[in-house]
Amino acid sequence: MAEGNVYLSEEDFSYFCFDCRNKAKETDKDFFYVGALGPCYTCSDCGHVFEAGFKREKGNSITTASLRCKVCGKTFERRDQLIPHSYEHSDAWPYRCSFCQKGFAFHSKFERHERAHRTVRKICCRKCSIYFQGKICFDMRFDAYCEKCSDGSSLVEYVSS
């Protein structure tokens, strides 16, 4: 098989028996039927030796280099998985919460975070254990201080009860 000008060898494929192919969660991968006169294929999942089953291109083959992280080498099935991963290395998120500094690759996830931030919550002060009401990023709620205990650097938007 050839992909553009790249020829693939048998090492570039994984083999699957019928049972493991049917259990596969990935339905978007290209599986090809294979058969031989006698059992000569070994299932990549269960180790069963079979004569008829399926093969598919391995996720880390040279033809999927465009879906491989250039920093750590991790391979992804889709581009929309690689893009957010690349921001983890560079910390150059296109959307960032002004309160907790958490970064987001997609505007929709950033908006969901912002909506959650605007929610008034019952928060327990980390210092005096008194409950108070305020708006804070959900991930930071255990690191919050009440107005009395705060040194002014707290990222809580206090709400009077």
Side-chain angles (χ1 to χ4, degrees):
M1 291 184 130
E3 188 92 16
N5 290 332
V6 178
Y7 290 90
L8 303 176
S9 67
E10 287 305 305
E11 291 84 36
D12 294 321
F13 291 95
S14 296
Y15 293 88
F16 300 91
C17 65
F18 280 97
D19 289 338
C20 290
R21 166 57 184 106
N22 291 336
K23 292 178 196 171
K25 293 178 183 172
E26 308 93 358
T27 55
D28 58 332
K29 296 257 186 197
D30 292 331
F31 284 90
F32 301 96
Y33 177 80
V34 292
L37 298 174
C40 64
Y41 302 108
T42 304
C43 180
S44 299
D45 280 352
C46 69
H48 174 74
V49 178
F50 59 90
E51 62 185 57
F54 297 90
K55 76 176 182 177
R56 73 171 181 206
E57 192 177 332
K58 287 182 180 175
N60 62 354
S61 75
I62 54 177
T63 61
T64 59
S66 64
L67 297 178
R68 186 177 300 121
C69 176
K70 291 179 175 134
V71 177
C72 67
K74 186 174 181 181
T75 309
F76 296 87
E77 292 179 14
R78 298 185 322 268
R79 186 164 209 70
D80 67 327
Q81 295 170 324
L82 173 60
I83 291 169
H85 173 80
S86 66
Y87 292 126
E88 291 176 16
H89 292 298
S90 68
D91 201 35
W93 300 95
Y95 306 100
R96 189 177 296 279
C97 176
S98 59
F99 288 94
C100 69
Q101 301 304 311
K102 183 175 181 178
F104 298 90
F106 302 105
H107 190 261
S108 59
K109 292 189 177 185
F110 172 67
E111 281 182 326
R112 185 179 328 143
H113 178 83
E114 287 287 298
R115 276 193 305 274
H117 176 262
R118 290 190 296 263
T119 303
V120 176
R121 303 181 189 288
K122 186 176 181 181
I123 305 167
C124 183
C125 177
R126 184 174 184 187
K127 188 174 183 182
C128 69
S129 299
I130 293 192
Y131 283 91
F132 63 96
Q133 295 218 3
K135 297 178 185 177
I136 191 169
C137 294
F138 186 75
D139 296 339
M140 300 174 65
R141 70 190 186 282
F142 298 114
D143 221 12
Y145 297 97
C146 67
E147 284 183 277
K148 191 195 283 186
C149 297
S150 176
D151 62 2
S153 63
S154 181
L155 297 176
V156 176
E157 184 180 330
Y158 299 102
V159 177
S160 57
S161 347

